[in-house]
């Protein structure tokens, strides 16, 4: 009997030890930086909106050039730019244009254009909204289509992305002007699901409004949606390129001193392969190709 | 030698059994350690707070608690009456041919993966609600409909067994008193099977509260407190499901804290079910 | 031959034959699928008396008892031929309402089957379903029936106690009270004492004799001494070769007579063999 009790005690202490060990090791925040030790090593840091695309580029780059290593980190556009300044990062990522002081210190290259399209059902007669109207819809101030159109009435169902989404922060920055998206908005986690909801055939779908990356507005094989004009300007790649469409932000890479490895990587990003990768993920390429 | 084998097998079984307790302990301690800081910091405001906005540092989960309660209760309102009626039908009225078809059919219902339920809900239930009842269809109602289907096998099979194991003398006695079959079921058998049926319902509720995949696609995931069953909502489970992938720091800890709350709710439900059935088996022993 | 007790010897055929027939059967037959459980049972059961059905195990005593309140209807393979009457009303007639029939013919089972509810609720559940709603009427029924089974004093302050917490003897008497609540004309008792200890058995037997003043009692018992102690009439059933088809076995009513006569002077040899213990 005594043997069984001490056996049990041993087990309990083993259990607690395991639990604490597992807990301790996972308590550390994610993303340890490894020093590569390989021949070519590039550190990229900055905007979390650019980050997912940069990670895809990095992955593909390493396949072409197996001797290289590319580390991609977040931290935000400003943090990325100053990391280049202090030498911590080789390349900075930014989803905003550089300020005057930054322009003097760094060189930048636009690698893609990101646009935001507001979409509604093709049968929705509304074609055009102002930025203020969209904001009011998303704050819950405007709740009925009749308040923005005399051809359509019914409840408006705004749809948004989840809080951690880069697309959502784009929307919040450019449209919301500091106000919060209403907590009544429906939350979906991909461009695809928002598009499906807005293009659906049930009665409610025709009253929905959502936002997606402009690059995926026209996708072959998907149900059609209507991209709204913002202040009269249509959400096309041309209007994005010529700057007339408001909901636009450039994705930039920023460098300090010239480094051969950084340049090589940036050339890859600007190449047809790199640009193709970005386009496939909903961005607008800058080479017009 | 035989003695050694006996002892060895005993030790092996003990070890394996302790491993499952170990797993439970590891998970529990992990969740507690990760989530406790948030509860410690925000205290009551965590559970009672009405605003969930991690970007702004707000971590009130009251809308999700209300969401879980609303969707689960809705599922119960739909599923419990149907389930009990089916159980009564199978135990008391169905010819044996029907029973041999129905029972496997109900087990099949239990075997459908929850993501398939969710998908079906999205393609069928949601548009139906939108077209005939209003709103976008992504709603408490959609979630309740799907969860009620998922609860049915549990409720039906356990309730049916609770009725079947009743001594047939209850039924004989009631009929001999001049009660009709239906009166016998309603006034003698169902009350006698009550604890088994209640346990069945609670187990079904426990499953519904913990369900994520089936409902994440049809609830709409809005963070507001809903004001009607046609409005979108988030449950404790879907809140974790949606945001876990990218949550960091305090946000992630808040999701673990949500997990703690869920844990507590489900433990309470399971313990209630066990407590109720423990009483039941006691009372059957009296005779 | 079991010795006749003083109670039984006082009952004599003259006394019983002055009573009217409460239940009459004419060539009543019961089949369970292919088996002929009861063949051509013809008897008249006197009112306000105790009739005992006796016989070896498995001979169909309970089946015969259950014929009278149509509990055999619950068995899908059971089939009935012949006639049975409660007074003037046909038991198996096409227009007979079984629910009404069972109000008039009550049944007490072998094992006490008290419902899982209070003493009070057990007794009133029948009357409630027959339309009696008034609290005072229901209270009266509870008092009357508990008095009839001599349990009013011991239970009047315990009416809300769960019925299943009573002793076995008390539970069986509660079941009898429950049966009496509907004010039946006949009470069927299927081996109602076999699950009880001797002291409780005595109480129930006394109860039977008391109740026989007002109700017609029909009991099934495998205990011959009990039959002798309480019954006025005895019916001896056994399974034997069919007179019409000697390859088959059927259940027969071998002898039916006042108890005193049957036990002192049985007319059929098979009865005598059973009573003296040669079989069964």
């Amino acid at each position: 009997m005594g043997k069984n009790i001490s056996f049990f005690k041993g087990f309990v202490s083993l259990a607690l030890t395991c639990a604490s060990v597992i807990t301790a090791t996972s308590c550390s925040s994610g993303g340890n930086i490894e020093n590569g030790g390989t021949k070519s090593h590039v550190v990229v840091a900055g905007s979390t909106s650019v980050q997912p695309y940069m990670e895809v580029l990095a992955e593909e780059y390493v396949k072409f050039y197996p001797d290289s290593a590319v580390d991609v980190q977040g931290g935000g556009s400003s943090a990325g730019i100053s990391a280049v300044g202090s030498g911590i990062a080789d390349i900075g990522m930014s989803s905003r244009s550089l300020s005057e002081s930054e322009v003097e210190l760094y060189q930048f290259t636009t690698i893609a254009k990101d646009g935001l399209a507001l979409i509604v059902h093709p049968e929705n007669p509304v074609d055009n909204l102002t930025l203020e109207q969209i904001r009011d819809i998303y704050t819950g101030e405007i709740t009925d289509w009749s308040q923005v159109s005399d051809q359509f009435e019914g409840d408006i169902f705004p749809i948004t992305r989840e809080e951690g989404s880069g697309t959502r922060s784009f929307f919040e920055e450019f449209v919301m002007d500091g106000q919060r998206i209403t907590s009544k908005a429906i939350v979906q986690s991909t461009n695809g699901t928002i598009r499906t909801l807005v293009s659906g055939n049930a009665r409610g779908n025709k009253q929905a409004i959502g936002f997606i990356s402009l690059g995926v507005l026209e996708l072959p094989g998907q149900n059609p949606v209507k991209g709204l004009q913002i202040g009269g300007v249509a959400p096309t790649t041309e209007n994005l390129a010529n700057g007339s469409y408001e909901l636009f932000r450039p994705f930039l890479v920023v460098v300090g001193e010239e480094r051969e490895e950084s340049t090589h990587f940036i050339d890859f990003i600007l190449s047809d392969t790199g640009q193709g990768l970005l386009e496939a993920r909903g961005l607008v390429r800058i080479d017009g190709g | 030698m035989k003695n050694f084998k006996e002892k060895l097998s005993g030790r092996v079984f003990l070890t394996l059994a302790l491993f499952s307790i170990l797993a439970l302990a590891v998970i529990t301690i992990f969740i507690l350690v990760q989530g406790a800081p948030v509860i410690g910091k925000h205290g009551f405001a965590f559970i009672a707070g009405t605003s969930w906005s991690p970007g702004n540092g707000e971590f009130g989960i009251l809308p999700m608690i209300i969401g879980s309660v609303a969707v689960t209760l809705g599922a119960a309102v739909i599923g419990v009456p149907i389930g009990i009626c089916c159980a009564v039908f199978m135990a008391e009225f169905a010819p044996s041919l029907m029973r041999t078809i129905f029972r496997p059919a109900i087990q099949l219902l239990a075997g459908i993966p929850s993501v398939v339920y969710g998908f079906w809900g999205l393609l069928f239930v949601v548009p139906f609600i939108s077209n005939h009842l209003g709103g976008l269809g992504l709603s408490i109602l959609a979630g309740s409909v799907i969860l009620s289907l998922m609860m049915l096998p549990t409720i039906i099979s356990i309730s049916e067994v609770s009725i079947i194991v009743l001594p047939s003398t209850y039924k004989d006695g009631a009929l001999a008193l001049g009660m009709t079959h239906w009166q016998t079921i309603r006034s003698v058998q169902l009350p006698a099977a009550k604890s088994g049926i209640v346990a069945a319902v609670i187990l079904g509720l426990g499953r519904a509260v913990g369900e994520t995949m089936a409902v994440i696609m049809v609830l709409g995931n809005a963070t507001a407190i809903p004001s009607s069953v046609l409005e979108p909502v988030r449950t404790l489970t879907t809140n974790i499901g949606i945001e876990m992938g990218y949550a960091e720091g305090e946000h992630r800890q808040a999701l673990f804290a949500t997990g703690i709350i869920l844990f507590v709710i489900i433990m309470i439900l399971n313990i209630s079910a066990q407590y109720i059935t423990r009483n039941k088996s006691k009372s059957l022993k009296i005779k | 031959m079991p010795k006749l007790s003083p109670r039984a010897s006082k009952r004599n055929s003259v006394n019983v034959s002055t009573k009217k027939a409460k239940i009459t059967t004419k060539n009543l037959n019961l089949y369970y699928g292919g088996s002929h459980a009861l063949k051509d049972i013809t008897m008249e059961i006197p009112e306000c008396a105790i009739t005992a059905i006796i016989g070896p195990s498995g001979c169909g005593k309970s089946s015969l008892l259950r014929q009278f309140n149509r509990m055999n209807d619950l068995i899908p393979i059971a089939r009935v031929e012949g006639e049975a009457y409660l007074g003037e009303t046909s038991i198996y007639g096409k227009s007979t309402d079984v629910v009404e029939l069972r109000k008039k013919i009550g049944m007490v089972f072998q094992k006490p089957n008290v419902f899982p509810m209070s003493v009070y609720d057990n007794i009133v559940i029948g009357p409630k379903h027959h339309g009696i709603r008034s609290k005072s009427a229901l209270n009266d029924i509870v008092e009357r029936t508990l008095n009839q089974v001599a349990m009013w004093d011991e239970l009047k302050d315990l009416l809300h106690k769960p019925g299943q917490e009573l002793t076995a003897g008390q539970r069986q008497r509660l079941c009898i009270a429950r049966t009496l609540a509907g004010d039946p004309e006949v009470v069927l008792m299927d081996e109602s004492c076999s699950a009880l200890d001797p002291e409780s058995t005595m109480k129930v037997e006394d109860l039977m004799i008391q109740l026989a003043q007002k109700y017609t009692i029909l009991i099934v018992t495998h205990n011959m001494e009990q039959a002798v102690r309480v019954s006025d009439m005895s019916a001896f059933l056994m399974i034997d070769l069919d007179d019409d088809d000697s390859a088959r076995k059927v259940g027969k009513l071998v002898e039916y007579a006042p108890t005193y006569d049957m036990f002192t002077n049985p007319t059929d040899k098979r009865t005598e063999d059973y009573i003296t213990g040669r079989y069964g």
Side-chain angles (χ1 to χ4, degrees):
Chain A
M1 196 53 177
K3 272 195 190 158
N4 281 338
I5 290 180
S6 56
F7 189 76
F8 185 70
K9 275 190 193 160
F11 230 88
V12 170
S13 40
L14 179 63
L16 289 173
T17 313
C18 283
S20 341
V21 165
I22 292 175
T23 304
T25 50
S26 34
C27 268
S28 55
S29 50
N32 288 322
I33 303 174
E34 276 182 40
N35 277 330
T38 45
K39 278 132 202 184
S40 153
H41 186 228
V42 179
V43 176
V44 186
S47 158
T48 50
S49 299
V50 183
Q51 185 180 2
Y53 302 100
M54 192 59 71
E55 282 168 351
V56 169
L57 288 166
E59 212 182 291
E60 200 65 18
Y61 179 70
V62 164
K63 282 189 199 153
F64 278 87
Y65 306 100
D67 279 349
S68 41
V70 180
D71 291 320
V72 183
Q73 301 163 40
S77 300
S78 308
I81 296 170
S82 43
V84 170
S86 57
I88 299 176
D90 301 307
I91 301 177
M93 304 179 281
S94 176
S95 53
R96 59 164 174 78
S97 329
L98 297 190
S99 65
E100 281 173 17
S101 47
E102 285 165 343
V103 165
E104 285 177 27
L105 293 171
Y106 311 104
Q107 297 181 29
F108 69 91
T109 318
T110 309
I111 58 169
K113 291 184 183 154
D114 190 19
L116 203 62
L118 270 296
I119 53 172
V120 293
H121 196 275
E123 288 177 32
N124 186 332
V126 175
D127 288 321
N128 181 19
L129 288 176
T130 66
L131 222 50
E132 287 75 28
Q133 285 172 315
I134 296 172
R135 175 168 59 239
D136 288 339
I137 288 174
Y138 271 85
T139 56
E141 180 97 21
I142 295 182
T143 53
D144 198 293
W145 284 109
S146 57
Q147 293 171 274
V148 296
S149 160
D150 40 7
Q151 291 171 299
F152 195 39
E153 63 170 5
D155 290 324
I156 306 183
F157 301 117
I159 307 173
T160 173
R161 290 288 302 275
E162 76 283 10
E163 271 212 11
S165 150
T167 313
R168 173 163 168 156
S169 41
F170 185 178
F171 181 80
E172 285 172 323
E173 201 186 311
F174 277 68
V175 177
M176 296 311 291
D177 192 31
Q179 297 186 54
R180 285 203 200 174
I181 296 179
T182 170
S183 56
K184 287 182 180 279
I186 298 213
V187 177
Q188 298 286 289
S189 35
T190 64
N191 278 324
T193 44
I194 295 189
R195 186 204 189 83
T196 308
L197 263 184
V198 169
S199 60
N201 288 320
R203 189 150 44 108
N205 298 110
K206 298 179 185 162
Q207 295 162 229
I209 180 171
F211 55 83
I212 57 176
S213 292
L214 193 144
V216 295
L217 186 56
E218 311 283 335
L219 272 188
Q222 300 285 335
N223 286 338
V225 291
K226 182 200 291 192
L228 289 177
Q229 297 172 26
I230 312 287
V233 181
T236 61
T237 42
E238 294 79 40
N239 286 341
L240 197 66
N242 66 37
S244 57
Y245 186 71
E246 277 185 79
L247 300 180
F248 143 81
R249 62 178 176 177
F251 278 179
L252 314 173
V253 289
V254 174
V255 292
E257 296 166 12
E258 283 252 3
R259 256 188 89 209
E260 202 193 307
E261 292 147 346
S262 314
T263 313
H264 197 241
F265 182 49
I266 295 175
D267 285 341
F268 172 76
I269 298 175
L270 295 172
S271 72
D272 196 45
T273 318
Q275 290 290 295
L277 278 173
L278 294 176
E279 185 179 44
R281 277 159 184 75
L283 297 180
V284 174
R285 55 201 294 168
I286 54 120
D287 58 356
Chain B
M1 187 57 192
K2 219 196 243 175
N3 212 13
F4 172 72
K5 274 194 188 166
E6 292 283 319
K7 278 198 182 153
L8 179 66
S9 47
R11 289 288 167 85
V12 167
F13 293 142
L14 178 65
T15 308
L16 293 174
L18 287 179
F19 262 118
S20 38
I21 300 180
L22 176 63
L24 177 65
V26 166
I27 293 175
T28 310
I29 294 173
F30 188 76
I31 297 178
L32 281 174
V33 166
Q34 291 284 330
V38 164
I39 297 185
K41 177 173 168 196
H42 296 265
F44 201 61
F46 181 64
I47 302 175
T50 55
S51 175
W52 175 267
S53 181
N56 297 307
E58 293 171 18
F59 297 108
I61 60 169
L62 187 62
M64 285 58 147
I65 295 178
I66 293 179
S68 283
V69 168
V71 172
T72 306
L73 268 182
V77 162
I78 301 173
V80 169
I82 296 180
I84 295 181
C85 285
C86 276
V88 168
F89 175 73
M90 298 243 294
E92 287 290 313
F93 292 101
S96 55
L97 178 63
M98 256 201 225
R99 257 183 245 151
T100 46
I101 298 175
F102 264 49
R103 270 203 201 115
I106 289 169
Q107 293 313 312
L108 265 181
L109 211 58
I112 298 177
S114 33
V115 67
V116 172
Y117 273 109
F119 195 52
W120 172 78
L122 189 59
L123 292 183
F124 184 73
V125 177
V126 166
F128 185 87
I129 293 176
S130 180
N131 282 327
H132 294 101
L133 294 170
L136 199 45
L138 299 171
S139 56
I140 296 177
L141 183 59
S144 292
V145 166
I146 293 180
L147 286 183
S148 69
L149 287 178
M150 296 176 79
M151 280 170 92
L152 275 182
T154 308
I155 296 180
I156 293 177
S157 50
I158 299 181
S159 299
E160 192 202 340
V161 164
S162 306
I163 298 175
I164 290 180
V165 300
L166 292 175
S168 62
T169 48
Y170 284 164
K171 193 169 156 189
D172 284 348
L175 290 173
L177 283 177
M179 287 164 68
T180 63
H181 193 190
W182 173 235
Q183 287 172 337
T184 305
I185 293 172
R186 189 168 43 92
S187 306
V188 176
Q189 290 183 288
L190 282 180
K194 184 170 55 160
S195 61
I197 295 177
V198 167
V201 169
I202 291 180
L203 283 174
L205 287 178
R207 187 173 172 196
V209 165
E211 196 39 66
T212 313
M213 246 356 257
V215 290
I216 206 170
M217 298 190 236
V218 305
L219 284 180
N221 306 318
T223 53
I225 296 179
S227 49
S228 94
V229 294
L230 296 178
E231 285 190 14
V233 79
R234 235 183 241 206
T235 61
L236 294 166
T237 47
T238 57
N239 197 31
I240 298 176
I242 295 169
E243 302 194 342
M244 201 46 159
Y246 57 86
E248 293 178 323
E250 196 183 10
H251 185 188
R252 175 184 269 198
Q253 290 179 328
L255 292 179
F256 273 107
T258 311
I260 295 178
I261 306 293
L262 260 176
F263 206 68
V264 168
I265 294 177
I266 294 182
M267 287 244 299
I268 293 178
L269 283 173
N270 278 338
I271 291 176
S272 319
Q274 282 185 1
Y275 178 72
I276 291 173
T277 39
R278 198 181 301 137
N279 268 351
K280 168 193 171 195
S281 56
K282 229 193 262 173
S283 69
L284 275 182
K285 280 187 198 145
I286 285 181
K287 293 184 277 38
Chain C
M1 198 98 78
K3 193 150 187 291
L4 292 183
S5 71
R7 241 189 269 151
S9 50
K10 283 208 180 118
R11 298 170 188 276
N12 50 53
S13 34
V14 173
N15 205 341
V16 174
S17 65
T18 60
K19 298 203 187 266
K20 283 195 321 192
K22 189 68 182 175
I23 294 183
T24 331
T25 71
K26 283 201 191 106
N27 290 330
L28 191 60
N29 283 276
L30 175 65
Y31 299 87
Y32 286 134
S35 125
H36 197 164
L38 296 170
K39 177 166 174 159
D40 288 338
I41 311 286
T42 302
M43 57 197 299
E44 287 181 4
I45 296 170
E47 64 175 1
C48 298
I50 302 182
T51 304
I53 303 176
I54 60 175
S57 316
C59 65
K61 309 193 287 292
S62 289
S63 300
L64 177 57
L65 197 73
R66 290 162 65 99
Q67 285 289 79
F68 299 126
N69 66 349
R70 291 184 63 168
M71 287 298 276
N72 287 331
D73 288 3
L74 301 177
I75 300 170
I77 53 168
R79 186 169 53 94
V80 175
E81 284 173 5
E83 296 164 24
Y85 295 89
L86 171 68
E88 304 294 312
T89 328
S90 165
I91 293 179
Y92 282 95
K94 283 223 160 69
S95 56
T96 308
D97 180 3
V98 176
V99 166
E100 286 300 314
L101 177 73
R102 290 181 185 150
K103 279 197 234 171
K104 297 197 199 128
I105 304 185
M107 185 172 233
V108 179
F109 296 81
Q110 179 170 357
K111 284 225 288 258
N113 58 355
V114 171
F115 299 143
M117 35 183 94
S118 69
V119 169
Y120 185 91
D121 287 333
N122 260 281
I123 297 177
V124 301
I125 192 175
K128 265 199 193 164
H129 281 98
H130 298 149
I132 300 178
R133 296 275 156 195
S134 112
K135 233 355 174 118
S136 59
L138 293 174
N139 289 343
D140 286 343
I141 290 176
V142 171
E143 189 173 344
R144 163 178 67 84
T145 53
L146 284 177
N147 267 314
Q148 283 177 297
V149 301
M151 287 210 295
W152 176 246
D153 286 327
E154 66 191 277
L155 289 184
K156 66 174 183 255
D157 297 321
L158 295 172
L159 291 179
H160 292 283
K161 186 170 174 163
Q164 292 178 334
E165 285 178 20
L166 302 175
T167 66
Q170 286 175 319
R171 275 186 274 133
Q172 190 63 305
R173 284 187 286 156
L174 177 58
C175 288
I176 297 175
R178 187 174 70 189
T179 309
L180 297 177
D183 210 21
E185 297 170 15
V186 177
V187 178
L188 307 174
M189 301 179 80
D190 192 352
E191 308 231 25
S192 304
C193 296
S194 50
L196 305 179
D197 61 273
E199 189 189 331
S200 307
T201 302
M202 221 173 61
K203 287 196 181 145
V204 173
E205 285 182 7
D206 286 343
L207 189 48
M208 284 181 198
I209 294 176
Q210 270 279 78
L211 293 175
Q213 292 172 13
K214 189 176 172 206
Y215 304 97
T216 304
I217 313 280
L218 186 52
I219 71 172
V220 162
T221 180
H222 61 265
N223 182 340
M224 286 186 289
E225 281 85 359
Q226 181 172 81
V228 165
R229 279 197 295 272
V230 307
S231 67
D232 302 304
M233 297 287 293
S234 289
F236 174 59
L237 235 56
M238 72 177 281
I239 296 192
D240 201 4
L241 297 174
D242 191 352
D243 295 333
D244 302 327
D245 175 3
S246 51
R248 299 184 70 195
K249 289 208 164 159
V250 295
K252 293 181 184 170
L253 177 62
V254 171
E255 188 166 340
Y256 180 49
T259 304
Y260 185 80
D261 296 343
M262 182 184 282
F263 278 85
T264 50
N265 211 4
T267 49
D268 193 298
K269 177 153 196 322
R270 292 169 289 182
T271 318
E272 186 177 348
D273 285 343
Y274 178 68
I275 296 172
T276 55
R278 265 182 234 149
Y279 43 67

